[in-house]
Amino acid sequence: MSAEDPSSPPNYISTLKKSLLTGYVNEYHHQNMPCVHLVDVLIMREKQLMSKKKPNKNKPRIMADISSLHHKFAQLTNIVANLVLDGRHDEVLQRFKETIDNNRPCWQMVLTCLAAVVKGPHTSKESATAGYKMLPQLLKNSAMLFFFLQTLKLTQPDAKTAGFGRGLKTAVRCWYYGLSPESLLLELWHRPHAYGWSHKDVLKLVHIKQDMLSLGSRVVICWFFTSLDKTKAKFSAEKDAAPYIEYLDCLHNKAHEGNLAHLRVETLKQLEQSCKCSLLRQQDKLLNDPQGLASLMDVLDSMGATVASMDPNFVKTVASPLPPTPSAEDANASAAEATDNQGSSTQPQPYNLGEVQKEACQALVRRLQQPDVVAEVPPVTLAIAANTMRRRVKSRIAARGSSKWRGGQPLVLAPSKKKELHSVTIPPHLQEPLDVYDGLIYKAAVKRSLAASFPALLFVSEPHPDYNKYIDTMPGFNVHKQLKASQAVVLSLLTLCHSDAENWSSSGVRCVDSDALFVPFDFTRPGFAKTVEDFERTCNYQMATSGQLDKILEKCSELSKQQVVFFSLWPRENHKTEVEEYFAKTPADKAVSKVVLVSLNAPLDQPCQLLPTEPRVLQLRGFHERSIDIIESFLTDQY
């Protein structure tokens, strides 16, 4: 498709709706999520330009790469360009608003398409004005703002020409003006920078007007650009400014990190809940305090406790090796020294590290067992948290060697062999929260079961001996192996098909390479880990032969199934061909209504895509936290 030869308008809107929900576009072949990939590459190239290592020698090549990103951006957003050229920008912007309000959108794709509306090749004055007016309504946090600003650089061949104009400045100012003082404080504290931008950069460029801000926002802005002491001196006479100064004192006074650390969490809980900021930041210093972890877990929310359990600082604190037991002579010498120093100065009270670590893990278990965890945290997030915590605990307690880094500094390394890491025995106090996670994942998936919404759904999984291996689960340039392929299948199976009805076996099936096409799989046994093990054992044989998918679709009519979800470990070209041939030869009144093809491992040259020739088919490659939501949206005709 191109802007010179547009297709019919309904096809444009239908394709745009799918792209906004999935993050992918027809006929666009690139690794991972395209819009995120383009921004990540642009940030890397900009860092290379600013590098002091051979800047003049590499500059022509880097500038050529940046220019090529513009052409890829134009290819990614050509559908929006066609609609803007036809004067249908209002309809496109309304589609953006509906997608964001869906609470499960690919917001990166929405903002990428918005950049094409306001600064695309066919942008008009009317479309740019309407787009900038819509921007404050689409932004939910400052990370989305920073992503949009970075994406704007891709709209022009030369990133320098995509600068701040009057319309963009006005839209960004309106977003900052619309934040309450509490929201502004949390945005500055929790999301200070992202995607190559920071709040200081943006606030200086848009020229925030102080008279348009409330008193609380002026206090926060004054602190952000000066210091806490100067802010206290400036607003000491303002009684209404006292609460906001107290917030700043709790959150940003470094002198309080020792004795008033937990006051920060209580302060964050008092602030506006609509900000949805985490109570803890990544590798937070609060997680370094062994004695404070037990009381900290009691005040964290459900997502905060989940994030804390897999944080490197938390694992380091609870899994640190215990100091060697001192001999009797050393113990007597330490007691005598403590007696001599008593009264001269205040000495910290000694504590048993092993007991403190057990109390912290028990506090985590108590927090995870609260009912709000199952209700608020998605099962995919719980599974990723359990896997990450287990991996980091094993890496922490494994036998370690030493190596030499540049400059001769010693570097502690975990064992390089995976077999050594898998053979590590986890201590009981660390195994207990992992066992709790196993039950939580199962309960959260069953609680969100959609089986009642899809009574005519057939779930099929192609067997493969490598289902026990990890897959890439994070969209973007930097991917992480956070889930096993079998875990992704079981999570989808529990969410889409689990039901208390007696005929559950007709929904959860697998494809086999034998005369019996379908063999039911029992997924009603409680316990996520046990279900995953059973599934891996079931699939631990050779792959099914090609030519099975068309038979599966033909079998659906015999089982009165109208929707099919087919999981495979690797994408195969014959899958798409067989589906297209099936719909071509099967009458519309006898064919299935929806087909979803999920390939868990996505090669770099074969990303997630939609079938442009068949609107009844959704082809997903890769698996991440939104995959199940995308499948649900497609099956319920939200596209």
Side-chain angles (χ1 to χ4, degrees):
M1 293 184 295
S2 61
E4 291 78 9
D5 184 22
S7 303
S8 59
N11 291 340
Y12 274 139
I13 290 297
S14 176
T15 306
L16 176 63
K17 191 174 181 180
K18 290 182 179 180
S19 300
L20 294 178
L21 284 169
T22 61
Y24 299 92
V25 182
N26 295 337
E27 302 176 355
Y28 186 90
H29 300 281
H30 217 293
Q31 64 186 53
N32 303 314
M33 193 177 295
C35 53
V36 180
H37 174 78
L38 293 180
V39 171
D40 287 339
V41 174
L42 177 60
I43 294 174
M44 292 176 59
R45 298 296 178 263
E46 290 178 343
K47 289 182 178 179
Q48 292 175 355
L49 282 177
M50 300 177 64
S51 175
K52 297 181 180 179
K53 299 179 180 179
K54 302 179 181 180
N56 297 328
K57 181 179 180 180
N58 297 330
K59 185 175 181 180
R61 178 182 60 82
I62 297 174
M63 295 303 298
D65 291 344
I66 294 178
S67 179
S68 66
L69 294 178
H70 163 69
H71 298 292
K72 294 177 181 178
F73 173 84
Q75 180 184 5
L76 182 64
T77 58
N78 60 349
I79 297 175
V80 178
N82 291 329
L83 291 170
V84 173
L85 182 62
D86 293 340
R88 305 180 65 187
H89 57 270
D90 289 334
E91 189 175 353
V92 173
L93 294 174
Q94 183 61 31
R95 185 66 61 193
F96 294 166
K97 188 68 169 59
E98 293 175 358
T99 306
I100 289 293
D101 293 341
N102 191 22
N103 293 326
R104 292 177 304 183
C106 175
W107 59 265
Q108 294 96 335
M109 191 63 186
V110 173
L111 297 179
T112 300
C113 293
L114 179 62
V117 172
V118 299
K119 284 193 176 182
H122 303 292
T123 297
S124 62
K125 183 178 180 181
E126 292 77 13
S127 65
T129 302
Y132 285 132
K133 185 177 180 181
M134 177 68 69
L135 177 61
Q137 304 177 38
L138 301 180
L139 298 178
K140 303 300 182 181
N141 53 60
S142 51
M144 299 175 67
L145 171 63
F146 297 149
F147 182 87
F148 176 74
L149 296 178
Q150 189 70 9
T151 304
L152 284 178
K153 297 180 181 180
L154 297 170
T155 59
Q156 304 297 329
D158 185 2
K160 295 182 179 179
T161 61
F164 268 72
R166 182 181 301 176
L168 179 59
K169 289 181 180 179
T170 303
V172 176
R173 280 199 299 263
C174 288
W175 182 75
Y176 276 106
Y177 294 155
L179 295 177
S180 64
E182 294 83 2
S183 300
L184 178 60
L185 174 57
L186 285 181
E187 291 295 338
L188 299 180
W189 176 81
H190 189 66
R191 304 182 181 96
H193 52 78
Y195 301 106
W197 290 85
S198 67
H199 282 290
K200 285 190 176 181
D201 298 333
V202 178
L203 290 172
K204 289 178 181 178
L205 288 171
V206 301
H207 306 297
I208 290 290
K209 300 178 182 179
Q210 295 289 330
D211 56 346
M212 296 293 294
L213 297 172
S214 62
L215 176 61
S217 298
R218 291 201 302 271
V219 172
V220 174
I221 293 294
C222 179
W223 157 79
F224 192 63
F225 282 99
T226 57
S227 65
L228 183 59
D229 294 335
K230 292 182 178 180
T231 304
K232 289 181 179 180
K234 182 176 180 180
F235 294 95
S236 59
E238 298 283 350
K239 294 183 179 180
D240 295 337
Y244 305 103
I245 293 178
E246 183 180 354
Y247 291 153
L248 291 171
D249 195 49
C250 292
L251 294 179
H252 300 281
N253 193 340
K254 294 184 177 180
H256 291 176
E257 289 183 355
N259 54 354
L260 296 180
H262 299 86
L263 182 61
R264 191 193 75 185
V265 178
E266 294 293 347
T267 301
L268 289 173
K269 294 180 68 174
Q270 296 174 7
L271 298 179
E272 188 174 342
Q273 296 298 321
S274 60
C275 301
K276 296 182 179 180
C277 287
S278 174
L279 300 179
L280 294 175
R281 291 187 282 193
Q282 188 175 10
Q283 297 184 358
D284 204 300
K285 292 183 178 180
L286 294 184
L287 300 175
N288 287 332
D289 179 18
Q291 293 179 286
L293 284 179
S295 57
L296 177 63
M297 291 298 165
D298 295 335
V299 298
L300 290 179
D301 57 0
S302 56
M303 184 60 71
T306 305
V307 173
S309 65
M310 59 178 172
D311 191 276
N313 282 3
F314 176 81
V315 174
K316 175 183 176 182
T317 303
V318 299
S320 296
L322 300 179
T325 305
S327 61
E329 296 180 358
D330 294 339
N332 295 334
S334 300
E337 184 179 356
T339 304
D340 296 338
N341 294 334
Q342 187 175 6
S344 58
S345 60
T346 304
Q347 297 291 332
Q349 295 295 328
Y351 61 90
N352 189 319
L353 179 59
E355 294 297 330
V356 171
Q357 290 177 341
K358 292 180 181 179
E359 291 178 2
C361 291
Q362 292 174 359
L364 174 62
V365 169
R366 291 194 301 270
R367 184 62 190 88
L368 292 177
Q369 290 175 341
Q370 298 296 322
D372 60 333
V373 176
V374 174
E376 298 175 1
V377 185
V380 178
T381 303
L382 292 173
I384 292 176
N387 290 343
T388 305
M389 181 180 178
R390 179 179 287 104
R391 185 187 71 249
R392 287 176 173 166
V393 165
K394 287 188 174 182
S395 179
R396 185 70 190 173
I397 65 180
R400 292 168 176 262
S402 62
S403 179
K404 294 292 183 181
W405 188 243
R406 297 172 185 173
Q409 297 295 328
L411 179 67
V412 178
L413 297 175
S416 58
K417 297 181 179 180
K418 293 184 178 180
K419 292 183 179 179
E420 296 181 13
L421 198 60
H422 287 304
S423 62
V424 173
T425 302
I426 299 178
H429 73 281
L430 294 172
Q431 184 63 42
E432 187 177 1
L434 295 175
D435 294 338
V436 172
Y437 264 125
D438 178 60
L440 289 178
I441 298 169
Y442 189 88
K443 292 179 181 178
V446 172
K447 184 178 181 64
R448 291 168 172 78
S449 175
L450 303 170
S453 303
F454 308 121
L457 174 65
L458 185 68
F459 189 102
V460 185
S461 179
E462 185 182 57
H464 198 283
D466 291 337
Y467 262 123
N468 60 343
K469 296 183 178 180
Y470 282 83
I471 58 176
D472 296 333
T473 55
M474 182 177 179
F477 188 75
N478 297 315
V479 295
H480 300 276
K481 296 185 181 297
Q482 300 171 315
L483 277 180
K484 287 184 178 181
S486 55
Q487 291 176 334
V489 175
V490 172
L491 283 172
S492 305
L493 183 64
L494 292 174
T495 306
L496 296 174
C497 301
H498 188 279
S499 175
D500 295 332
E502 296 180 357
N503 62 344
W504 59 265
S505 59
S506 61
S507 297
V509 301
R510 63 182 177 89
C511 174
V512 297
D513 186 13
S514 62
D515 295 336
L517 183 62
F518 290 152
V519 175
F521 172 71
D522 185 359
F523 60 94
T524 59
R525 185 181 305 175
F528 179 70
K530 183 61 177 177
T531 306
V532 171
E533 291 178 3
D534 293 344
F535 179 78
E536 293 175 356
R537 190 182 306 108
T538 302
C539 296
N540 191 19
Y541 54 87
Q542 296 298 322
M543 296 175 61
T545 58
S546 59
Q548 291 282 348
L549 193 52
D550 53 347
K551 296 181 180 179
I552 292 174
L553 298 178
E554 294 173 358
K555 191 72 174 179
C556 288
S557 57
E558 301 178 11
L559 299 176
S560 301
K561 302 295 182 182
Q562 296 299 318
Q563 297 172 329
V564 179
V565 177
F566 181 78
F567 271 78
S568 61
L569 190 63
W570 293 98
R572 287 198 241 162
E573 188 63 29
N574 63 294
H575 287 165
K576 182 175 68 173
T577 304
E578 291 168 4
V579 172
E580 292 176 343
E581 293 177 352
Y582 165 79
F583 281 113
K585 68 181 181 181
T586 307
D589 57 338
K590 297 183 179 179
V592 298
S593 59
K594 298 283 185 180
V595 177
V596 181
L597 304 178
V598 183
S599 303
L600 297 175
N601 273 318
L604 298 182
D605 59 340
Q606 295 180 348
C608 172
Q609 59 183 349
L610 310 171
L611 292 187
T613 59
E614 184 50 65
R616 290 172 288 183
V617 180
L618 174 67
Q619 188 175 18
L620 295 176
R621 293 183 175 176
F623 190 90
H624 53 88
E625 295 182 0
R626 295 187 58 252
S627 296
I628 298 178
D629 292 337
I630 292 174
I631 295 174
E632 179 196 355
S633 300
F634 180 75
L635 296 179
T636 54
D637 296 322
Q638 295 186 33
Y639 284 113

